[in-house]
mmCIF file of all heavy atoms in Angstrom:
data_model
loop_
_atom_site.group_PDB
_atom_site.id
_atom_site.type_symbol
_atom_site.label_atom_id
_atom_site.label_comp_id
_atom_site.label_asym_id
_atom_site.label_seq_id
_atom_site.Cartn_x
_atom_site.Cartn_y
_atom_site.Cartn_z
ATOM 1 N N THR A 11 1.932 11.214 -1.393
ATOM 2 C CA THR A 11 1.885 12.256 -2.420
ATOM 3 C C THR A 11 0.729 11.941 -3.371
ATOM 4 O O THR A 11 0.265 10.790 -3.441
ATOM 5 C CB THR A 11 3.196 12.272 -3.235
ATOM 6 O OG1 THR A 11 3.302 11.027 -3.945
ATOM 7 C CG2 THR A 11 4.406 12.494 -2.359
ATOM 8 N N PRO A 12 0.257 12.933 -4.109
ATOM 9 C CA PRO A 12 -0.804 12.660 -5.089
ATOM 10 C C PRO A 12 -0.413 11.579 -6.096
ATOM 11 O O PRO A 12 -1.240 10.746 -6.469
ATOM 12 C CB PRO A 12 -1.018 14.007 -5.771
ATOM 13 C CG PRO A 12 -0.589 15.021 -4.755
ATOM 14 C CD PRO A 12 0.556 14.365 -4.011
ATOM 15 N N GLU A 13 0.858 11.548 -6.499
ATOM 16 C CA GLU A 13 1.315 10.528 -7.442
ATOM 17 C C GLU A 13 1.254 9.138 -6.824
ATOM 18 O O GLU A 13 0.831 8.175 -7.479
ATOM 19 C CB GLU A 13 2.746 10.830 -7.911
ATOM 20 C CG GLU A 13 2.893 12.109 -8.699
ATOM 21 C CD GLU A 13 2.999 13.360 -7.805
ATOM 22 O OE1 GLU A 13 3.237 13.241 -6.579
ATOM 23 O OE2 GLU A 13 2.828 14.462 -8.346
ATOM 24 N N LEU A 14 1.674 9.020 -5.557
ATOM 25 C CA LEU A 14 1.619 7.734 -4.884
ATOM 26 C C LEU A 14 0.173 7.311 -4.662
ATOM 27 O O LEU A 14 -0.163 6.136 -4.833
ATOM 28 C CB LEU A 14 2.381 7.772 -3.559
ATOM 29 C CG LEU A 14 2.399 6.472 -2.758
ATOM 30 C CD1 LEU A 14 2.881 5.294 -3.601
ATOM 31 C CD2 LEU A 14 3.244 6.631 -1.505
ATOM 32 N N GLN A 15 -0.687 8.247 -4.304
ATOM 33 C CA GLN A 15 -2.105 7.925 -4.141
ATOM 34 C C GLN A 15 -2.674 7.334 -5.419
ATOM 35 O O GLN A 15 -3.351 6.307 -5.392
ATOM 36 C CB GLN A 15 -2.899 9.172 -3.753
ATOM 37 C CG GLN A 15 -2.638 9.651 -2.358
ATOM 38 C CD GLN A 15 -3.425 10.904 -2.022
ATOM 39 O OE1 GLN A 15 -4.394 11.246 -2.693
ATOM 40 N NE2 GLN A 15 -3.010 11.591 -0.972
ATOM 41 N N GLN A 16 -2.355 7.948 -6.542
ATOM 42 C CA GLN A 16 -2.845 7.470 -7.833
ATOM 43 C C GLN A 16 -2.308 6.061 -8.115
ATOM 44 O O GLN A 16 -3.046 5.185 -8.570
ATOM 45 C CB GLN A 16 -2.423 8.431 -8.937
ATOM 46 C CG GLN A 16 -2.930 8.057 -10.302
ATOM 47 C CD GLN A 16 -2.488 9.061 -11.360
ATOM 48 O OE1 GLN A 16 -1.713 9.985 -11.101
ATOM 49 N NE2 GLN A 16 -2.995 8.898 -12.561
ATOM 50 N N GLY A 17 -1.034 5.836 -7.844
ATOM 51 C CA GLY A 17 -0.434 4.521 -8.061
ATOM 52 C C GLY A 17 -1.041 3.450 -7.170
ATOM 53 O O GLY A 17 -1.264 2.312 -7.606
ATOM 54 N N LEU A 18 -1.344 3.805 -5.905
ATOM 55 C CA LEU A 18 -1.932 2.838 -4.992
ATOM 56 C C LEU A 18 -3.361 2.492 -5.385
ATOM 57 O O LEU A 18 -3.772 1.329 -5.296
ATOM 58 C CB LEU A 18 -1.871 3.362 -3.554
ATOM 59 C CG LEU A 18 -0.478 3.397 -2.935
ATOM 60 C CD1 LEU A 18 -0.499 4.133 -1.597
ATOM 61 C CD2 LEU A 18 0.092 1.994 -2.770
ATOM 62 N N VAL A 19 -4.119 3.482 -5.827
ATOM 63 C CA VAL A 19 -5.483 3.208 -6.289
ATOM 64 C C VAL A 19 -5.438 2.228 -7.454
ATOM 65 O O VAL A 19 -6.172 1.233 -7.489
ATOM 66 C CB VAL A 19 -6.220 4.510 -6.688
ATOM 67 C CG1 VAL A 19 -7.496 4.205 -7.471
ATOM 68 C CG2 VAL A 19 -6.546 5.336 -5.456
ATOM 69 N N LYS A 20 -4.548 2.468 -8.389
ATOM 70 C CA LYS A 20 -4.416 1.582 -9.551
ATOM 71 C C LYS A 20 -3.973 0.179 -9.112
ATOM 72 O O LYS A 20 -4.492 -0.827 -9.605
ATOM 73 C CB LYS A 20 -3.410 2.179 -10.537
ATOM 74 C CG LYS A 20 -3.301 1.447 -11.828
ATOM 75 C CD LYS A 20 -2.373 2.184 -12.781
ATOM 76 C CE LYS A 20 -2.202 1.433 -14.083
ATOM 77 N NZ LYS A 20 -1.281 2.119 -14.984
ATOM 78 N N LEU A 21 -3.029 0.108 -8.190
ATOM 79 C CA LEU A 21 -2.533 -1.169 -7.696
ATOM 80 C C LEU A 21 -3.645 -1.955 -7.004
ATOM 81 O O LEU A 21 -3.849 -3.142 -7.276
ATOM 82 C CB LEU A 21 -1.358 -0.939 -6.753
ATOM 83 C CG LEU A 21 -0.672 -2.166 -6.168
ATOM 84 C CD1 LEU A 21 -0.087 -3.040 -7.272
ATOM 85 C CD2 LEU A 21 0.414 -1.734 -5.198
ATOM 86 N N TYR A 22 -4.379 -1.304 -6.117
ATOM 87 C CA TYR A 22 -5.466 -1.991 -5.404
ATOM 88 C C TYR A 22 -6.621 -2.333 -6.340
ATOM 89 O O TYR A 22 -7.299 -3.340 -6.142
ATOM 90 C CB TYR A 22 -5.933 -1.174 -4.197
ATOM 91 C CG TYR A 22 -5.081 -1.424 -2.978
ATOM 92 C CD1 TYR A 22 -3.956 -0.647 -2.724
ATOM 93 C CD2 TYR A 22 -5.369 -2.449 -2.090
ATOM 94 C CE1 TYR A 22 -3.157 -0.880 -1.621
ATOM 95 C CE2 TYR A 22 -4.580 -2.695 -0.981
ATOM 96 C CZ TYR A 22 -3.476 -1.906 -0.751
ATOM 97 O OH TYR A 22 -2.685 -2.159 0.343
ATOM 98 N N ASP A 23 -6.841 -1.533 -7.371
ATOM 99 C CA ASP A 23 -7.856 -1.873 -8.370
ATOM 100 C C ASP A 23 -7.524 -3.185 -9.068
ATOM 101 O O ASP A 23 -8.415 -3.946 -9.437
ATOM 102 C CB ASP A 23 -7.989 -0.771 -9.425
ATOM 103 C CG ASP A 23 -8.926 0.357 -9.014
ATOM 104 O OD1 ASP A 23 -9.727 0.157 -8.076
ATOM 105 O OD2 ASP A 23 -8.849 1.426 -9.644
ATOM 106 N N SER A 24 -6.228 -3.479 -9.247
ATOM 107 C CA SER A 24 -5.817 -4.697 -9.945
ATOM 108 C C SER A 24 -6.200 -5.951 -9.171
ATOM 109 O O SER A 24 -6.355 -7.015 -9.748
ATOM 110 C CB SER A 24 -4.303 -4.681 -10.202
ATOM 111 O OG SER A 24 -3.583 -4.934 -9.010
ATOM 112 N N GLU A 25 -6.362 -5.838 -7.868
ATOM 113 C CA GLU A 25 -6.668 -6.997 -7.026
ATOM 114 C C GLU A 25 -8.111 -6.986 -6.526
ATOM 115 O O GLU A 25 -8.782 -8.000 -6.548
ATOM 116 C CB GLU A 25 -5.713 -7.005 -5.835
ATOM 117 C CG GLU A 25 -5.967 -8.098 -4.826
ATOM 118 C CD GLU A 25 -5.410 -9.442 -5.251
ATOM 119 O OE1 GLU A 25 -4.601 -9.494 -6.178
ATOM 120 O OE2 GLU A 25 -5.798 -10.446 -4.648
ATOM 121 N N PHE A 26 -8.566 -5.846 -6.073
ATOM 122 C CA PHE A 26 -9.846 -5.782 -5.374
ATOM 123 C C PHE A 26 -10.918 -4.990 -6.118
ATOM 124 O O PHE A 26 -12.064 -4.995 -5.723
ATOM 125 C CB PHE A 26 -9.660 -5.154 -3.984
ATOM 126 C CG PHE A 26 -8.690 -5.901 -3.125
ATOM 127 C CD1 PHE A 26 -7.444 -5.364 -2.852
ATOM 128 C CD2 PHE A 26 -9.009 -7.127 -2.597
ATOM 129 C CE1 PHE A 26 -6.536 -6.043 -2.054
ATOM 130 C CE2 PHE A 26 -8.109 -7.813 -1.800
ATOM 131 C CZ PHE A 26 -6.867 -7.268 -1.528
ATOM 132 N N SER A 27 -10.534 -4.262 -7.145
ATOM 133 C CA SER A 27 -11.414 -3.353 -7.901
ATOM 134 C C SER A 27 -12.092 -2.312 -7.014
ATOM 135 O O SER A 27 -13.166 -1.829 -7.310
ATOM 136 C CB SER A 27 -12.449 -4.124 -8.730
ATOM 137 O OG SER A 27 -13.423 -4.735 -7.923
ATOM 138 N N HIS A 28 -11.444 -1.994 -5.902
ATOM 139 C CA HIS A 28 -11.932 -0.947 -5.007
ATOM 140 C C HIS A 28 -10.760 -0.085 -4.544
ATOM 141 O O HIS A 28 -10.561 0.115 -3.355
ATOM 142 C CB HIS A 28 -12.655 -1.541 -3.798
ATOM 143 C CG HIS A 28 -13.837 -2.380 -4.146
ATOM 144 N ND1 HIS A 28 -14.974 -1.859 -4.685
ATOM 145 C CD2 HIS A 28 -14.030 -3.717 -4.068
ATOM 146 C CE1 HIS A 28 -15.839 -2.829 -4.901
ATOM 147 N NE2 HIS A 28 -15.289 -3.972 -4.546
ATOM 148 N N GLY A 29 -9.975 0.394 -5.482
ATOM 149 C CA GLY A 29 -8.779 1.147 -5.143
ATOM 150 C C GLY A 29 -9.050 2.394 -4.334
ATOM 151 O O GLY A 29 -8.307 2.731 -3.414
ATOM 152 N N THR A 30 -10.146 3.078 -4.649
ATOM 153 C CA THR A 30 -10.489 4.299 -3.919
ATOM 154 C C THR A 30 -10.829 3.984 -2.470
ATOM 155 O O THR A 30 -10.419 4.708 -1.559
ATOM 156 C CB THR A 30 -11.660 5.028 -4.607
ATOM 157 O OG1 THR A 30 -11.296 5.270 -5.972
ATOM 158 C CG2 THR A 30 -11.963 6.349 -3.941
ATOM 159 N N GLU A 31 -11.549 2.886 -2.241
ATOM 160 C CA GLU A 31 -11.874 2.482 -0.870
ATOM 161 C C GLU A 31 -10.607 2.110 -0.103
ATOM 162 O O GLU A 31 -10.480 2.417 1.080
ATOM 163 C CB GLU A 31 -12.853 1.318 -0.873
ATOM 164 C CG GLU A 31 -14.239 1.698 -1.327
ATOM 165 C CD GLU A 31 -15.175 0.502 -1.398
ATOM 166 O OE1 GLU A 31 -14.915 -0.522 -0.731
ATOM 167 O OE2 GLU A 31 -16.161 0.599 -2.135
ATOM 168 N N ALA A 32 -9.684 1.436 -0.769
ATOM 169 C CA ALA A 32 -8.414 1.079 -0.128
ATOM 170 C C ALA A 32 -7.647 2.335 0.259
ATOM 171 O O ALA A 32 -7.059 2.400 1.345
ATOM 172 C CB ALA A 32 -7.575 0.204 -1.056
ATOM 173 N N LEU A 33 -7.653 3.335 -0.615
ATOM 174 C CA LEU A 33 -6.969 4.592 -0.310
ATOM 175 C C LEU A 33 -7.596 5.260 0.912
ATOM 176 O O LEU A 33 -6.882 5.728 1.802
ATOM 177 C CB LEU A 33 -7.005 5.527 -1.510
ATOM 178 C CG LEU A 33 -6.301 6.862 -1.326
ATOM 179 C CD1 LEU A 33 -4.812 6.663 -1.081
ATOM 180 C CD2 LEU A 33 -6.526 7.758 -2.531
ATOM 181 N N GLU A 34 -8.918 5.269 0.994
ATOM 182 C CA GLU A 34 -9.593 5.865 2.149
ATOM 183 C C GLU A 34 -9.241 5.120 3.432
ATOM 184 O O GLU A 34 -8.961 5.731 4.462
ATOM 185 C CB GLU A 34 -11.105 5.868 1.928
ATOM 186 C CG GLU A 34 -11.547 6.834 0.845
ATOM 187 C CD GLU A 34 -13.009 6.691 0.461
ATOM 188 O OE1 GLU A 34 -13.725 5.860 1.073
ATOM 189 O OE2 GLU A 34 -13.433 7.405 -0.463
ATOM 190 N N LYS A 35 -9.240 3.779 3.364
ATOM 191 C CA LYS A 35 -8.874 2.990 4.538
ATOM 192 C C LYS A 35 -7.422 3.263 4.924
ATOM 193 O O LYS A 35 -7.100 3.400 6.096
ATOM 194 C CB LYS A 35 -9.081 1.505 4.269
ATOM 195 C CG LYS A 35 -8.788 0.647 5.465
ATOM 196 C CD LYS A 35 -9.185 -0.785 5.243
ATOM 197 C CE LYS A 35 -9.005 -1.555 6.533
ATOM 198 N NZ LYS A 35 -9.567 -2.892 6.438
ATOM 199 N N GLY A 36 -6.549 3.342 3.934
ATOM 200 C CA GLY A 36 -5.145 3.638 4.198
ATOM 201 C C GLY A 36 -4.952 4.996 4.843
ATOM 202 O O GLY A 36 -4.107 5.154 5.727
ATOM 203 N N GLN A 37 -5.733 5.977 4.417
ATOM 204 C CA GLN A 37 -5.653 7.310 5.035
ATOM 205 C C GLN A 37 -6.060 7.230 6.507
ATOM 206 O O GLN A 37 -5.466 7.893 7.362
ATOM 207 C CB GLN A 37 -6.545 8.311 4.278
ATOM 208 C CG GLN A 37 -6.107 8.570 2.862
ATOM 209 C CD GLN A 37 -4.850 9.420 2.751
ATOM 210 O OE1 GLN A 37 -4.064 9.561 3.671
ATOM 211 N NE2 GLN A 37 -4.652 9.991 1.581
ATOM 212 N N ASP A 38 -7.077 6.401 6.824
ATOM 213 C CA ASP A 38 -7.481 6.207 8.223
ATOM 214 C C ASP A 38 -6.360 5.543 9.028
ATOM 215 O O ASP A 38 -6.108 5.908 10.175
ATOM 216 C CB ASP A 38 -8.752 5.351 8.306
ATOM 217 C CG ASP A 38 -9.980 6.071 7.774
ATOM 218 O OD1 ASP A 38 -9.958 7.317 7.659
ATOM 219 O OD2 ASP A 38 -10.972 5.368 7.472
ATOM 220 N N VAL A 39 -5.692 4.572 8.410
ATOM 221 C CA VAL A 39 -4.570 3.893 9.075
ATOM 222 C C VAL A 39 -3.462 4.899 9.379
ATOM 223 O O VAL A 39 -2.917 4.931 10.483
ATOM 224 C CB VAL A 39 -4.041 2.729 8.200
ATOM 225 C CG1 VAL A 39 -2.703 2.231 8.705
ATOM 226 C CG2 VAL A 39 -5.052 1.598 8.146
ATOM 227 N N LEU A 40 -3.141 5.746 8.411
ATOM 228 C CA LEU A 40 -2.096 6.753 8.622
ATOM 229 C C LEU A 40 -2.500 7.752 9.704
ATOM 230 O O LEU A 40 -1.659 8.161 10.511
ATOM 231 C CB LEU A 40 -1.789 7.476 7.308
ATOM 232 C CG LEU A 40 -1.173 6.621 6.203
ATOM 233 C CD1 LEU A 40 -1.006 7.444 4.932
ATOM 234 C CD2 LEU A 40 0.149 6.030 6.635
ATOM 235 N N ALA A 41 -3.768 8.123 9.736
ATOM 236 C CA ALA A 41 -4.244 9.079 10.739
ATOM 237 C C ALA A 41 -4.153 8.505 12.151
ATOM 238 O O ALA A 41 -4.022 9.255 13.120
ATOM 239 C CB ALA A 41 -5.680 9.494 10.429
ATOM 240 N N SER A 42 -4.200 7.174 12.266
ATOM 241 C CA SER A 42 -4.103 6.540 13.588
ATOM 242 C C SER A 42 -2.667 6.110 13.904
ATOM 243 O O SER A 42 -2.444 5.209 14.708
ATOM 244 C CB SER A 42 -5.044 5.337 13.667
ATOM 245 O OG SER A 42 -4.624 4.315 12.790
ATOM 246 N N HIS A 43 -1.699 6.760 13.244
ATOM 247 C CA HIS A 43 -0.271 6.525 13.467
ATOM 248 C C HIS A 43 0.198 5.171 12.954
ATOM 249 O O HIS A 43 1.169 4.619 13.457
ATOM 250 C CB HIS A 43 0.110 6.711 14.936
ATOM 251 C CG HIS A 43 -0.284 8.052 15.466
ATOM 252 N ND1 HIS A 43 0.352 9.210 15.075
ATOM 253 C CD2 HIS A 43 -1.273 8.420 16.305
ATOM 254 C CE1 HIS A 43 -0.232 10.239 15.679
ATOM 255 N NE2 HIS A 43 -1.217 9.787 16.425
ATOM 256 N N GLY A 44 -0.485 4.658 11.951
ATOM 257 C CA GLY A 44 -0.059 3.430 11.290
ATOM 258 C C GLY A 44 0.889 3.770 10.153
ATOM 259 O O GLY A 44 1.394 4.890 10.049
ATOM 260 N N ALA A 45 1.120 2.791 9.295
ATOM 261 C CA ALA A 45 2.019 2.991 8.163
ATOM 262 C C ALA A 45 1.505 2.201 6.968
ATOM 263 O O ALA A 45 0.719 1.271 7.107
ATOM 264 C CB ALA A 45 3.433 2.548 8.511
ATOM 265 N N TRP A 46 1.980 2.617 5.819
ATOM 266 C CA TRP A 46 1.686 1.907 4.581
ATOM 267 C C TRP A 46 3.048 1.523 4.016
ATOM 268 O O TRP A 46 3.877 2.383 3.729
ATOM 269 C CB TRP A 46 0.965 2.833 3.614
ATOM 270 C CG TRP A 46 0.007 2.159 2.683
ATOM 271 C CD1 TRP A 46 0.109 0.911 2.174
ATOM 272 C CD2 TRP A 46 -1.184 2.710 2.150
ATOM 273 N NE1 TRP A 46 -0.948 0.649 1.352
ATOM 274 C CE2 TRP A 46 -1.766 1.740 1.316
ATOM 275 C CE3 TRP A 46 -1.815 3.942 2.283
ATOM 276 C CZ2 TRP A 46 -2.940 1.948 0.622
ATOM 277 C CZ3 TRP A 46 -2.990 4.142 1.597
ATOM 278 C CH2 TRP A 46 -3.549 3.161 0.783
#
Side-chain angles (χ1 to χ4, degrees):
T11 65
E13 296 82 15
L14 180 53
Q15 289 179 17
Q16 182 179 6
L18 289 171
V19 166
K20 186 175 178 182
L21 182 61
Y22 276 90
D23 275 343
S24 74
E25 176 80 15
F26 302 108
S27 70
H28 300 292
T30 304
E31 290 177 22
L33 181 63
E34 291 171 3
K35 183 172 186 171
Q37 295 287 20
D38 291 342
V39 167
L40 295 176
S42 66
H43 305 289
W46 211 328

